[in-house]
Amino acid sequence: LERIIIVNLSQNEIQFRDVPNIGLENTGRALALSLLKEFVPDNTDYFNENNVIVITPGLISGTYAPSSGRFSVVTKRTGGGLRSVNLAGPFANRLMSLGYLAIVVRGTAPETLPVILVINEKGAALKSMPAIRYQPITETISYLRQEHGKEASVIGIGPAGEHVLPLGTIFSTYPPGKPEYFCVRGGMGDAFGNKGLKAIVVSSEKEFNANIVNPEIFNNRVKELTAIIREHPICGKALPSYGSITLMKILKNGGRLEEDNKPLQQAESSTDIAERQNTNQPKVNRACSVNCPIGCLNRHTTAGISPFDSPFDSEAFAACQNYFGITDQSFVINLNKKCFELGLDSIEFLSSCALLMKINHYQNAKEGLIQLLEELRLVSPVGRILGSNTSGIYSLYAEYKELRQMVTRKATSEHANFKVQIPNRIPGVESLSEMEYLYSYILAAQNIGMCLFTTFAMIDNPEALTLLAQLATGRTGKRVTPLMIIQSGYDSLLKERAYELDSMKAGMLDNIPEFVKVLYRYFGREKQ
Ligand code: SF4
């Protein structure tokens, strides 16, 4: 039987709840939404003690299904609905291998010392952990892996999250090796910091031990889907080689993947990596987890210069070029590492620096970046302003309308500018617009645990969606069709929209004028 862990930090208490019947509708982001609705009262603010953080692996995480180890971290926004980030690493696989569909974190730790949550075969426990308070992420991971085993998977926050800075984000470990971890884009480290939760450690013995009801159906499909993903020109080659920002630039130029950007970044071959691998050095990680055939880590290089560890380096490089004209690759790699050590969303850090440097007329971009990172590390007043991200900074300078365009916009802000076409859609959902079909697949993928990098190979290929449905069938023992996958994503989309609207309606009470206090007293009596 699979279970949910419910942790109450205020009460220092952990409970478990059985979930008898799992499926597309109650795993991943779909499950996270229903847990938010259950545990968070209406009109709860982001930092309110009553808000919760929900962590959910996908339906087929913890199996050898390709690229299926993604997980969602979800909470409620102030005055709105759900806020989420999606992370990778063996964490989700290990959690699902122990039979856990979700972790719900309620309350706030009563002391100022950070706590950690440890999950293993024996159950789950909360521990106070003063030794790692405000520690950089490498130290945090090494301390926790010494205590809980070198294969332990860890998610958590760095000093930026502990100081509850909006620029603080969540890290997730890779298997032991280089790179050791990444910091996800999208923040939410402040939600962990506000609760006093520094990290969650999962130290299961096995990474791929999720309960599969029908292994025969399941195992046969794993190889076939892996081959489809690996052979796709974007998933198997361009994306891991160039990273998503460079890929987007290439696609803007008409999709000429082969001609553009070759001198800048090329895929490093397995032989090159083997040569680079030296017995004294940590293992070179090619993927977040061994079940990913894409392996987008350590795949970008420029001849003679140290290679990018991950698409994050590559994206930071593109951002540095774009904002500051910096083309010094070693500088960017180093800067990105320092940002990660503090637990920062490095791309948002660069955007925030670009805005602050424009406001303050910085002349030397490299010096400015180093100086601002130091302000952030020291949590000085300037560091705190910077840490409030582009929207926080802009709110202080809103009279300068020309700066508005430098505020980071939502990923979907380009929605209206595009006419998406997915020619090979599965039949049965013709009433969905192409864009709705795209979003439905994205949400379904997050419910299932698939890395979004696989979308190129999956969404426009009914054969791939059929294999994915068969994997879900094998995992649950219940018949799942490709149509049900898209429908489940659409269902999630509708439920999230409804939650957003309900939360906004609840927030409308905030807009009633102060005079209402007089009217309460004139027309009523205070309840005893
Ligand atoms: S494609 Fe990259 S990010 Fe996605 S699961 Fe594979 S290695 Fe991780």
Side-chain angles (χ1 to χ4, degrees):
L1 207 58
E2 287 164 279
R3 299 196 291 175
I4 294 171
I5 306 177
I6 303 161
V7 179
N8 191 325
L9 294 172
S10 307
Q11 312 287 332
N12 195 26
E13 181 187 271
I14 298 178
Q15 294 175 337
F16 298 90
R17 178 193 290 176
D18 292 344
V19 182
N21 231 332
I22 71 157
L24 292 170
E25 68 296 341
N26 64 351
T27 47
R29 196 160 147 163
L31 174 61
L33 179 66
S34 61
L35 291 167
L36 271 197
K37 285 191 199 164
E38 177 184 341
F39 285 103
V40 184
D42 286 348
N43 208 14
T44 298
D45 287 348
Y46 183 66
F47 286 135
N48 190 297
E49 186 182 348
N50 290 326
N51 202 354
V52 302
I53 299 171
V54 183
I55 297 147
T56 49
L59 177 64
I60 58 172
S61 299
T63 72
Y64 283 104
S67 315
S68 62
R70 302 290 296 211
F71 60 101
S72 298
V73 179
V74 173
T75 191
K76 185 189 172 302
R77 291 187 291 112
T78 300
L82 162 160
R83 180 174 176 193
S84 76
V85 285
N86 190 260
L87 293 95
F91 182 87
N93 293 329
R94 290 189 184 279
L95 201 57
M96 203 53 124
S97 293
L98 290 170
Y100 293 121
L101 297 171
I103 305 169
V104 180
V105 183
R106 310 181 69 189
T108 51
E111 298 168 44
T112 45
L113 299 176
V115 295
I116 62 160
L117 172 67
V118 180
I119 302 167
N120 54 31
E121 278 81 4
K122 291 185 203 142
L126 285 167
K127 290 186 175 180
S128 179
M129 211 38 77
I132 50 172
R133 189 180 190 194
Y134 300 136
Q135 286 303 303
I137 291 178
T138 298
E139 266 86 343
T140 301
I141 295 169
S142 116
Y143 187 90
L144 294 174
R145 280 185 163 162
Q146 258 168 31
E147 294 245 312
H148 301 282
K150 67 176 173 44
E151 296 287 339
S153 294
V154 188
I155 66 166
I157 54 174
E162 285 179 86
H163 289 296
V164 197
L165 298 179
L167 211 54
T169 191
I170 303 169
F171 74 83
S172 174
T173 51
Y174 295 124
K178 183 178 179 289
E180 193 175 25
Y181 71 94
F182 73 97
C183 288
V184 72
R185 285 211 66 190
M188 282 180 56
D190 54 357
F192 270 57
N194 182 57
K195 289 194 172 297
L197 180 66
K198 172 81 173 171
I200 303 177
V201 183
V202 183
S203 60
S204 66
E205 275 168 30
K206 293 187 179 154
E207 190 183 335
F208 302 105
N209 201 32
N211 179 43
I212 297 171
V213 176
N214 191 332
E216 209 172 306
I217 296 186
F218 195 93
N219 296 337
N220 288 337
R221 300 298 165 258
V222 167
K223 263 194 197 157
E224 293 167 58
L225 189 58
T226 302
I228 287 181
I229 293 171
R230 189 177 279 135
E231 281 157 22
H232 191 278
I234 303 271
C235 292
K237 195 171 170 218
L239 192 52
S241 305
Y242 301 124
S244 57
I245 281 204
T246 311
L247 182 65
M248 192 159 80
K249 227 168 84 187
I250 301 170
L251 290 170
K252 263 188 191 167
N253 295 342
R256 297 185 311 278
L257 296 175
E258 296 306 324
E259 301 107 66
D260 293 351
N261 292 289
K262 245 189 177 169
L264 179 63
Q265 294 167 30
Q266 293 170 7
E268 196 178 26
S269 71
S270 305
T271 330
D272 292 341
I273 286 196
E275 274 171 23
R276 188 151 65 82
Q277 181 72 69
N278 164 329
T279 44
N280 297 324
Q281 294 206 341
K283 181 179 139 271
V284 172
N285 275 326
R286 284 291 289 263
C288 299
S289 164
V290 293
N291 68 352
C292 179
I294 298 177
C296 66
L297 309 178
N298 281 297
R299 292 280 296 267
H300 327 86
T301 187
T302 304
I305 306 179
S306 63
F308 294 134
D309 280 351
S310 72
F312 297 96
D313 281 345
S314 151
E315 291 178 11
F317 184 64
C320 274
Q321 261 188 313
N322 187 23
Y323 287 128
F324 313 108
I326 294 175
T327 53
D328 180 343
Q329 193 164 312
S330 306
F331 173 83
V332 177
I333 290 174
N334 205 13
L335 185 75
N336 199 40
K337 276 195 176 59
K338 287 181 175 161
C339 287
F340 272 19
E341 282 300 306
L342 295 176
L344 292 171
D345 172 342
S346 49
I347 307 300
E348 188 61 21
F349 166 77
L350 291 168
S351 308
S352 300
C353 287
L355 182 53
L356 209 55
M357 284 160 77
K358 186 169 172 76
I359 290 165
N360 289 315
H361 308 288
Y362 277 63
Q363 298 301 322
N364 186 317
K366 278 191 189 175
E367 277 174 17
L369 288 169
I370 291 166
Q371 188 192 327
L372 287 175
L373 188 62
E374 184 61 6
E375 299 276 2
L376 232 153
R377 192 185 69 77
L378 297 171
V379 215
S380 70
V382 173
R384 283 198 182 267
I385 292 170
L386 184 72
S388 68
N389 71 36
T390 49
S391 52
I393 300 168
Y394 179 70
S395 67
L396 301 173
Y397 292 88
E399 67 190 292
Y400 302 107
K401 300 289 176 234
E402 68 278 12
L403 300 176
R404 177 95 193 98
Q405 59 179 359
M406 295 180 76
V407 176
T408 307
R409 282 173 288 174
K410 275 204 245 167
T412 49
S413 60
E414 295 188 23
H415 170 103
N417 305 344
F418 284 88
K419 188 173 176 329
V420 166
Q421 281 183 318
I422 301 161
N424 300 306
R425 289 169 45 157
I426 51 149
V429 275
E430 286 75 13
S431 58
L432 295 189
S433 70
E434 302 278 336
M435 209 55 118
E436 284 172 330
Y437 191 89
L438 174 69
Y439 294 150
S440 299
Y441 175 76
I442 288 174
L443 288 200
Q446 294 192 0
N447 293 340
I448 294 172
M450 293 295 286
C451 178
L452 286 185
F453 280 3
T454 63
T455 304
F456 302 95
M458 303 294 302
I459 193 171
D460 196 30
N461 182 347
E463 189 194 344
L465 281 179
T466 303
L467 291 169
L468 188 61
Q470 288 166 347
L471 287 173
T473 302
R475 165 77 168 94
T476 59
K478 293 187 284 192
R479 184 170 167 268
V480 176
T481 63
L483 179 61
M484 287 159 78
I485 289 182
I486 298 298
Q487 279 172 333
S488 76
Y490 189 58
D491 189 51
S492 287
L493 195 66
L494 295 182
K495 284 183 176 153
E496 287 188 15
R497 266 187 208 152
Y499 184 59
E500 179 78 35
L501 275 178
D502 288 347
S503 305
M504 280 166 65
K505 278 188 218 151
M508 281 163 66
L509 285 179
D510 294 343
N511 299 321
I512 304 290
E514 191 72 12
F515 187 68
V516 77
K517 287 181 186 169
V518 178
L519 297 177
Y520 285 152
R521 283 159 181 81
Y522 181 79
F523 289 107
R525 291 281 169 274
E526 207 160 339
K527 291 180 197 163
Q528 295 306 314

